[in-house]
Amino acid sequence: MNAIPKTMFSDPAPVPSPVLRNYPAGVCLLNRNVFHIDRTVSLAPSDVENWLLDQANKVADTTALIEGFGARLVQAGLGVARLGLNVGTLHPQALGYAWNWNILDGFCDEIMLNEGVLSMEAYRSSPLYRTMEFGAQVQISLESDGAGREGALMTELAEAGFTEYLAVPLPTRKTRSNAVTLATLQPGGFTDLQKHTLHRLLKIFALHVERHVAERITENISRAYLGREAAQRVVSGTIKRGGGRPIRAIVWSSDMRGFSGLSETMDNQITAQMLDRYFSVMADAVIKHGGDVIKFIGDGMLAVFLLEDFDTPEMAAKAAATSAREAVALLDALNLEMQDDPDWAHLQTGIGLHLGEVFFGNIGSAKRLDFTVIGEAVNIGSRIEGFCKPLNRNILMSAPVASLLHESFEDMGTQRLNGISRTENLFALGE
């Protein structure tokens, strides 16, 4: 599963009337799938239960799980026309995720919610708040003239033709409950038999939710601490010491200028906050253009643009160059924004780019491993970055990188690399 897909900021297709899907600030649409239900298929509730106990175990994608479960609830005649799943998670940017499935528009949305949602009135006034925060089961009739309705969502659902809304807590080991919401278009709402059957099925469904949440947390944490490519390899089982493979990449090595002096004179907390903002600029620029941040080392950052991730080597070089230029520009903008802050110091960076083969894999002891990149190309990238200060340039690159970029550069001459028995012709990348 992808914790945060590349399409998360894409503009989704407009949703047809009558179903409104206007997500507020703090809610980010990650994916939107179109689903179809074969109405010629008729199932018994026991068929849905058997699916949950068997085939659903093989469903790895949460959206596919929701779509499969929703379709079978419809085919079993259980009256469900709208299904929602809301779960908490561990993620540096997200409070949790939710999936909204609705037969009126045929869409299943995956959304990400940030911490700000907790304080939003729309959430705190909703029945979902009572379910997730206090484990309460909520049942609301939508056929009355507003009596018992809570929040704008209930009004929207009633106007769309829904007759009853249920919010059911799912068993979980966390303080905050996961929750399933169900709504029906049936006159009179769900029948007592449908509710009884749904509650029985949800007890089994909750086990799948726990598994999917655990897997997502594992991937989120792995991505946050290891980077995209390393996380995928570790989660997929590449955990043996020495395991990995050689791969060609453009190596990015960057370093903050003058950090040692700053750390000696500044409070540790202020220094940490400054580093956070600095790395946000550097790392975000790399990730935005398809690179992968491997690690932070003090005030330094190591990243790679794997050639296999791009259609051509030229595109990889362009992505690396664009990232470097963008990082420098964003750092200048950050300095301007913070210039009146007495705790802020004007920050500068040096970035070195080099193309070569690296070994991407597990290095370390039997009990403590680091998934990283090593090799001569990494060392050369670091040495190139070290010339940024003496040559008074923010971005330097080797000839192999420059040869892939179709533009003119300032030739900085042939330099002997410190600690390496070779020289490199360096070029300054204009900003």
Side-chain angles (χ1 to χ4, degrees):
M1 298 186 305
N2 291 327
I4 305 180
K6 293 181 180 179
T7 57
M8 65 179 291
F9 298 111
S10 62
D11 186 22
V15 180
S17 181
V19 183
L20 299 178
R21 294 204 176 199
N22 299 319
Y23 296 120
V27 176
C28 177
L29 177 64
L30 299 181
N31 284 309
R32 170 166 290 169
N33 280 11
V34 178
F35 65 85
H36 303 280
I37 301 174
D38 186 351
R39 302 300 185 101
T40 66
V41 175
S42 179
L43 301 177
S46 60
D47 295 323
V48 184
E49 186 171 307
N50 288 334
W51 177 79
L52 287 170
L53 292 171
D54 184 15
Q55 295 153 289
N57 290 307
K58 302 178 181 67
V59 179
D61 178 69
T62 309
T63 300
L65 178 70
I66 301 297
E67 292 176 357
F69 188 46
R72 285 167 175 80
L73 294 179
V74 172
Q75 291 165 339
L78 294 174
V80 175
R82 183 181 186 273
L83 171 66
L85 172 64
N86 297 265
V87 302
T89 190
L90 287 177
H91 189 281
Q93 293 174 288
L95 168 70
Y97 296 92
W99 289 261
N100 296 323
W101 175 97
N102 196 319
I103 65 172
L104 289 185
D105 56 21
F107 290 150
C108 184
D109 285 356
E110 179 186 0
I111 59 177
M112 183 177 75
L113 304 92
N114 67 28
E115 290 285 348
V117 171
L118 285 177
S119 60
M120 293 175 61
E121 180 59 28
Y123 171 66
R124 300 182 73 85
S125 64
S126 72
L128 188 60
Y129 172 75
R130 300 208 309 271
T131 301
M132 296 199 72
E133 302 297 327
F134 305 104
Q137 183 172 306
V138 179
Q139 177 178 323
I140 299 175
S141 172
L142 302 174
E143 291 183 306
S144 59
D145 295 330
R149 295 185 194 167
E150 304 173 56
L153 176 60
M154 297 301 103
T155 300
E156 292 175 2
L157 292 178
E159 291 175 350
F162 291 96
T163 58
E164 188 175 18
Y165 172 92
L166 305 176
V168 182
L170 299 182
T172 178
R173 291 167 290 178
K174 301 185 294 295
T175 303
R176 183 178 293 112
S177 296
N178 297 325
V180 163
T181 61
L182 304 161
T184 185
L185 298 166
Q186 292 178 166
F190 292 104
T191 67
D192 289 342
L193 179 57
Q194 286 173 336
K195 291 176 186 176
H196 176 77
T197 303
L198 287 168
H199 280 95
R200 187 179 75 246
L201 293 173
L202 287 176
K203 289 180 180 179
I204 307 174
F205 181 68
L207 301 177
H208 291 286
V209 172
E210 277 285 280
R211 173 173 65 87
H212 281 250
V213 170
E215 289 174 353
R216 179 161 292 226
I217 287 174
T218 298
E219 184 166 349
N220 287 344
I221 294 175
S222 298
R223 279 175 174 261
Y225 285 93
L226 299 176
R228 182 190 71 244
E229 182 72 17
Q232 290 175 351
R233 297 182 184 279
V234 170
V235 171
S236 66
T238 307
I239 58 173
K240 291 185 178 180
R241 183 168 52 159
R245 64 190 177 104
I247 191 169
R248 287 183 62 76
I250 294 177
V251 176
W252 161 307
S253 179
S254 60
D255 201 48
M256 184 195 298
R257 296 188 195 172
F259 176 72
S260 297
L262 291 177
S263 60
E264 290 177 0
T265 58
M266 284 189 170
D267 175 79
N268 287 339
Q269 184 63 41
I270 294 175
T271 302
Q273 292 172 353
M274 183 176 293
L275 276 174
D276 282 344
R277 301 197 70 167
Y278 168 77
F279 281 133
S280 290
V281 165
M282 307 302 289
D284 288 356
V286 168
I287 294 169
K288 176 182 176 182
H289 295 284
D292 197 7
V293 177
I294 303 300
K295 63 173 58 181
F296 304 105
I297 310 168
D299 61 324
M301 188 178 87
L302 174 63
V304 290
F305 292 79
L306 302 180
L307 266 58
E308 67 178 27
D309 288 343
F310 299 85
D311 291 338
T312 65
E314 288 79 8
M315 292 180 68
K318 183 177 180 181
T322 301
S323 298
R325 283 172 164 146
E326 190 169 300
V328 171
L330 289 174
L331 187 59
D332 288 342
L334 178 61
N335 282 322
L336 185 61
E337 175 190 343
M338 301 295 295
Q339 63 181 347
D340 295 328
D341 188 330
D343 291 328
W344 185 260
H346 186 85
L347 302 181
Q348 289 182 287
T349 191
I351 302 171
L353 302 176
H354 179 62
L355 170 65
E357 183 174 273
V358 299
F359 179 80
F360 203 160
N362 283 305
I363 306 296
S365 73
K367 295 183 178 180
R368 176 63 173 88
L369 295 171
D370 186 15
F371 208 110
T372 187
V373 291
I374 61 172
E376 186 183 43
V378 177
N379 296 332
I380 292 174
S382 176
R383 301 305 192 276
I384 291 173
E385 181 280 319
F387 279 96
C388 287
K389 183 175 181 179
L391 295 178
N392 195 28
R393 296 295 183 273
N394 290 318
I395 309 167
L396 293 174
M397 58 188 169
S398 63
V401 178
S403 67
L404 295 173
L405 296 170
H406 303 295
E407 54 183 291
S408 59
F409 307 105
E410 183 181 2
D411 190 335
M412 306 304 295
T414 300
Q415 308 292 335
R416 180 167 295 280
L417 304 183
N418 184 34
I420 300 178
S421 59
R422 61 178 291 175
T423 61
E424 281 288 337
N425 191 191
L426 303 185
F427 298 85
L429 185 65
E431 300 163 29

